[in-house]
Amino acid sequence: MSQVSVRDDEVDIVIAAIEPDLTSFLEGWRAVFSRFHLIIIKDPDLKGELRIPGGFNYDAYTKADIQKIIGPSNAVTFSGYSCRYFGYLLSKKKYIISIDDDCIPAKDNEGIQVDAIAQHINNLSTPATPFFFNTLYDPFCKGADFVRGYPFSLRSGVSCALSCGLWLNLADLDAPTQALKPALRNTRYVDAVLTVPVRSMMPLSGINIAFDREVVGPALLPSFRLAKEGKIRWETVEDIWTGMCVKVVCDHLGYGVKTGLPYVWRKERGDAIESLKKEWEGVKLMEEVVPFFQSMRLTPAAKTAEDCVIEIAVAVKEQLGQIDPVFTRAADSMVEWVQLWKAVKIRT
């Protein structure tokens, strides 16, 4: 496979507005974001008007827009960080890039500001190699290639459907780890991209991601919500659940997932000790969730991401539903999400 050319008008940048004043965030990204269309979703629970500086091509959506478009819903919710999924739902572009509003551009080891959008696009537009690990990481990166012994029959790779970026300063740790090591900060900028091997699960972080909406969009869904879910990243696991869903879908449909570059710089936010009281439920549930997804195999009848999500939802209800009601709610929400995705696609 060769690199795919991506135009600026094929990309939407989706921003979940958890704070009302986006001025410093958008000014920090102006040099990178200004070429692209932005979809800004205001957290339905957020009070006050959004403050957005001029000079950006954007559409902003509020609670009223969400209610108007999706109507009454008992399962799918768009509060907190889950509001960004509403942007995924409305986008008409092939590619979506999503970066949290507590992040600013990072700098590489030479002190040069990282263009996270360009790197995500490069990850998605070059092949992934999930079926055999290349020890020089991504062979399609500048200065790299396939190592000796890598089968030539696998060197064409497969299309990359998901790009998972990383973070400097405040790494995406869970609340127990951050509470135990309050001074820990990630200062290591590793100049590398790698493909996550087929059948390997991973903890996706929604802080800094990009994906092919046309291929796997329906698999990025707001379905798994904790009873005490909060507004800080380490108080949620919705993106972790989503990541395992989309990884199973990519493995089944034959697409690749990359992780590594690009980095963003995360600002300080939240209290890990307080968050631990909310996230502990999710930490325990992961011990059930991970083995489930590791053993998940879809049938040949699942030809699209929508098909895959429905099959996963059925298995979630059957195999995990008796463990905790949160799994039954997640399964119902997954089915409703697919119905919403199809309905919005028909209307638009």
Side-chain angles (χ1 to χ4, degrees):
M1 295 183 65
S2 58
Q3 183 167 6
V4 177
S5 177
V6 178
R7 304 187 311 272
D8 290 354
D9 63 1
E10 292 181 289
V11 178
D12 267 336
I13 298 175
V14 174
I15 300 163
I18 306 301
E19 301 291 339
D21 190 353
L22 295 176
T23 303
S24 62
F25 168 74
L26 288 173
E27 290 296 352
W29 287 99
R30 182 177 291 276
V32 179
F33 283 3
S34 57
R35 294 177 14 232
F36 301 95
H37 176 251
L38 312 182
I39 296 179
I40 301 172
I41 312 297
K42 179 184 176 184
D43 176 5
D45 300 328
L46 184 63
K47 307 300 181 183
E49 296 297 318
L50 290 179
R51 293 192 287 278
I52 301 170
F56 291 94
N57 173 23
Y58 72 91
D59 290 300
Y61 298 91
T62 65
K63 182 177 182 179
D65 298 307
I66 294 173
Q67 292 177 333
K68 179 180 178 181
I69 292 173
I70 71 168
S73 172
N74 295 319
V76 175
T77 178
F78 295 99
S79 67
Y81 281 107
S82 292
C83 68
R84 64 199 170 100
Y85 295 96
F86 187 71
Y88 302 172
L89 192 67
L90 292 189
S91 175
K92 301 180 181 65
K93 305 295 180 64
K94 179 172 177 58
Y95 299 103
I96 288 178
I97 298 171
S98 186
I99 295 176
D100 279 1
D101 66 352
D102 60 350
C103 300
I104 59 175
K107 293 184 179 180
D108 65 16
N109 293 325
E110 303 299 322
I112 300 172
Q113 182 171 301
V114 174
D115 186 340
I117 306 304
Q119 181 64 53
H120 272 308
I121 292 173
N122 185 72
N123 291 349
L124 291 171
S125 61
T126 53
T129 53
F131 302 115
F132 198 75
F133 187 79
N134 190 54
T135 50
L136 275 183
Y137 308 116
D138 189 345
F140 297 96
C141 286
K142 183 179 180 181
D145 209 325
F146 292 98
V147 297
R148 179 171 57 89
Y150 201 100
F152 279 85
S153 60
L154 296 176
R155 294 191 182 196
S156 59
V158 299
S159 296
C160 179
L162 177 65
S163 169
C164 308
L166 298 175
W167 343 267
L168 291 174
N169 190 39
L170 194 64
D172 193 19
L173 307 176
D174 53 36
T177 304
Q178 194 68 61
L180 183 65
K181 302 177 179 179
L184 181 62
R185 297 295 180 269
N186 183 35
T187 60
R188 297 177 64 240
Y189 182 95
V190 181
D191 188 4
V193 177
L194 58 87
T195 295
V196 182
V198 66
R199 305 301 179 199
S200 292
M201 293 296 104
M202 60 172 190
L204 174 99
S205 168
I207 291 169
N208 171 25
I209 64 169
F211 58 94
D212 186 328
R213 187 190 63 84
E214 294 179 354
V215 171
V216 295
L220 285 104
L221 37 79
S223 61
F224 194 85
R225 294 185 64 84
L226 302 175
K228 298 180 180 179
E229 185 157 303
K231 304 290 185 180
I232 308 299
R233 268 294 175 200
W234 52 44
E235 296 175 353
T236 72
V237 291
E238 48 82 15
D239 51 349
I240 308 298
W241 177 273
T242 290
M244 284 186 271
C245 286
V246 73
K247 184 59 168 60
V248 167
V249 171
C250 285
D251 288 347
H252 177 74
L253 297 179
Y255 295 103
V257 175
K258 294 182 183 179
T259 185
L261 301 178
Y263 282 82
V264 295
W265 179 279
R266 288 189 73 208
K267 298 180 180 180
E268 309 293 320
R269 178 187 281 180
D271 183 323
I273 299 295
E274 288 301 313
S275 295
L276 181 57
K277 301 173 184 177
K278 299 178 181 178
E279 194 209 27
W280 183 241
E281 174 196 357
V283 172
K284 292 185 291 184
L285 289 175
M286 283 302 108
E287 302 303 321
E288 305 290 344
V289 169
V290 173
F292 167 79
F293 280 105
Q294 286 176 326
S295 63
M296 186 74 212
R297 297 294 184 271
L298 303 177
T299 71
K303 303 291 187 183
T304 66
E306 291 96 326
D307 297 338
C308 295
V309 171
I310 296 299
E311 285 200 8
I312 295 171
V314 170
V316 168
K317 181 169 285 191
E318 291 178 351
Q319 299 179 36
L320 298 178
Q322 295 180 349
I323 297 174
D324 193 291
V326 69
F327 293 119
T328 299
R329 293 194 296 270
D332 291 341
S333 183
M334 292 168 73
V335 173
E336 185 173 349
W337 172 255
V338 170
Q339 293 170 346
L340 269 176
W341 190 275
K342 292 180 177 179
V344 170
K345 187 162 61 174
I346 290 172
R347 290 200 299 264
T348 57

